[in-house]
Amino acid sequence: MTVRILQFGTSGQLARELLGQAKDFDVEITALSRAEADFADPQAVVRRLGQGEYDLVVLAAAYTAVDLAESERDLAFTVNAETPGAIAKALNADGPALVQVSTDYVFAGDKGAPYVESDATAPLNVYGASKLEGERRILAASPRALILRTSWVVSSHGKNFVKTMLRAAGESRALKVVDDQFGRPTAARDLARFILSQAGRLAAAKAGDPVFGVHHFANAGEVTWKGFADGIFAAALGDKAPAVACGSAADWPAPAKRPVRGTLDTSQLERTFGVTLRPWREPVAEIVAELQSEARSAA
Ligand SMILES: NC(=O)c1ccc[n+]([C@@H]2O[C@H](COP(=O)([O-])OP(=O)(O)OC[C@H]3O[C@@H](n4cnc5c(N)ncnc54)[C@H](OP(=O)(O)O)[C@@H]3O)[C@@H](O)[C@H]2O)c1
């Protein structure tokens, strides 16, 4: 059975990967851009829900400007909490299932070990607090919602760490990268393919099925930003990779505080869905190769 998906968001990293990878799965996606469904207006978004028959609703629209959120609290909460909550409320229990993507920033990062789903949350910044409130509202309204917390999302498009590092290497200046924050990089493509591969199962699952609720999704391997940068340069430049000096997060003061170690433990998701999440170096090598091939064709 072809799964009919209503996707909110068309231009972000995850949104683009969902649309790009859909051809490999038995799904039919209707995707709405911000112009068609602005999450700053919950009622307008809910009205769009009634305009078609769907098996699954996927939220790939979010307020993701972590530092700006400190000064745009109301907007961050409307987009990340109020509207997702209103969508969950509007879906009938026997209607489409819901997939929302959340973040490692719901955690304080001081556990001293990777976080499991049942660990206490304590966001350090407005963005994390808004995403956590979105989780709460969705879970309170819908027994058929999957919330995937993820971290350090990268792809060959949009703004992300891989692209920033490759640009910095091209400028041939001395490189210094934060070496005292830890996490797990995640390819938007791997996350998109996971969601698409589970679409049929989610659409058919009843309330109470363990596929619903909160699960952690990230590529395998914990690393610091500096370790991540080293991996990106190794993939892009091999033995010509530039030396990267160790920096401290304190060297780059930012409006929003970040967790020191928000690393996600993904074993619950791997057990529940019967999947193994591959090491981040594999998709990062693919992203680097894609970017290099695009640069060659543009030259
Ligand atoms: N990026 C990360 O490192 C990271 C880490 C952890 C969790 N996450 C979560 O993962 C999910 C996907 O992230 P991503 O990296 O794909 O984000 P992204 O590239 O920043 O894309 C965000 C998308 O949301 C849309 N959007 C923003 N404000 C909107 C509004 N008011 N109404 C409708 N659409 C709006 C954007 O549209 P425009 O293009 O029109 O602005 C864009 O399509 C998000 O839920 C995010 O919170 C991301």
Side-chain angles (χ1 to χ4, degrees):
M1 181 199 82
T2 301
V3 182
R4 299 160 303 174
I5 298 177
L6 176 62
Q7 172 182 321
F8 287 100
T10 54
S11 57
Q13 298 192 79
L14 174 62
R16 289 176 63 154
E17 292 294 347
L18 286 162
L19 293 170
Q21 299 300 308
K23 59 184 180 322
D24 292 346
F25 301 88
D26 193 4
V27 298
E28 186 184 282
I29 301 183
T30 303
L32 300 177
S33 67
R34 185 203 290 237
E36 293 164 303
D38 188 343
F39 273 39
D41 183 351
Q43 292 323 312
V45 173
V46 165
R47 278 197 295 278
R48 294 302 304 231
L49 279 178
Q51 295 178 14
E53 291 269 312
Y54 303 103
D55 306 304
L56 189 66
V57 174
V58 178
L59 308 187
Y63 183 107
T64 55
V66 175
D67 286 314
L68 194 58
E70 296 298 307
S71 53
E72 291 191 343
R73 186 185 178 89
D74 289 352
L75 180 59
F77 268 78
T78 304
V79 172
N80 288 344
E82 198 181 331
T83 299
I87 291 171
K89 224 173 179 173
L91 299 177
N92 293 325
D94 55 354
L98 177 63
V99 177
Q100 162 69 323
V101 180
S102 188
T103 171
D104 55 332
Y105 283 10
V106 299
F107 295 118
D110 57 358
K111 180 185 173 187
Y115 283 92
V116 295
E117 289 77 353
S118 54
D119 280 327
T121 50
L124 299 177
N125 56 47
V126 169
Y127 165 75
S130 70
K131 296 293 290 187
L132 179 61
E133 180 61 19
E135 290 186 7
R136 288 190 177 133
R137 290 188 187 211
I138 288 173
L139 293 174
S142 169
R144 294 184 64 243
L146 164 61
I147 292 175
L148 292 166
R149 289 190 189 133
T150 191
S151 54
W152 298 22
V153 177
V154 293
S155 66
S156 61
H157 34 252
K159 267 204 320 203
N160 65 67
F161 190 70
V162 175
K163 293 180 75 176
T164 305
M165 284 302 108
L166 292 180
R167 202 167 41 246
E171 290 162 3
S172 57
R173 55 189 163 86
L175 290 161
K176 188 169 154 190
V177 179
V178 171
D179 200 32
D180 54 7
Q181 283 176 347
F182 298 79
R184 279 173 69 165
T186 305
R189 183 165 300 170
D190 287 23
L191 178 56
R193 290 186 70 87
F194 172 76
I195 293 169
L196 295 168
S197 71
Q198 301 301 323
R201 185 170 172 188
L202 291 165
K206 302 263 181 288
D209 191 302
V211 293
F212 295 127
V214 177
H215 291 281
H216 290 172
F217 185 102
N219 281 117
E222 182 182 45
V223 72
T224 65
W225 290 108
K226 187 223 177 256
F228 191 11
D230 285 334
I232 293 164
F233 293 138
L237 302 161
D239 52 15
K240 294 195 184 63
V244 179
C246 295
S248 164
D251 299 338
W252 287 273
K257 276 196 202 151
R258 271 111 171 134
V260 167
R261 191 179 177 199
T263 309
L264 299 171
D265 180 320
T266 57
S267 39
Q268 177 190 287
L269 175 135
E270 295 185 69
R271 250 189 344 266
T272 306
F273 290 89
V275 296
T276 302
L277 301 179
R278 60 185 178 147
W280 60 264
R281 286 177 198 278
E282 292 179 19
V284 164
E286 293 163 9
I287 292 168
V288 166
E290 254 173 65
L291 289 167
Q292 288 176 331
S293 141
E294 277 169 26
R296 274 194 300 274
S297 1

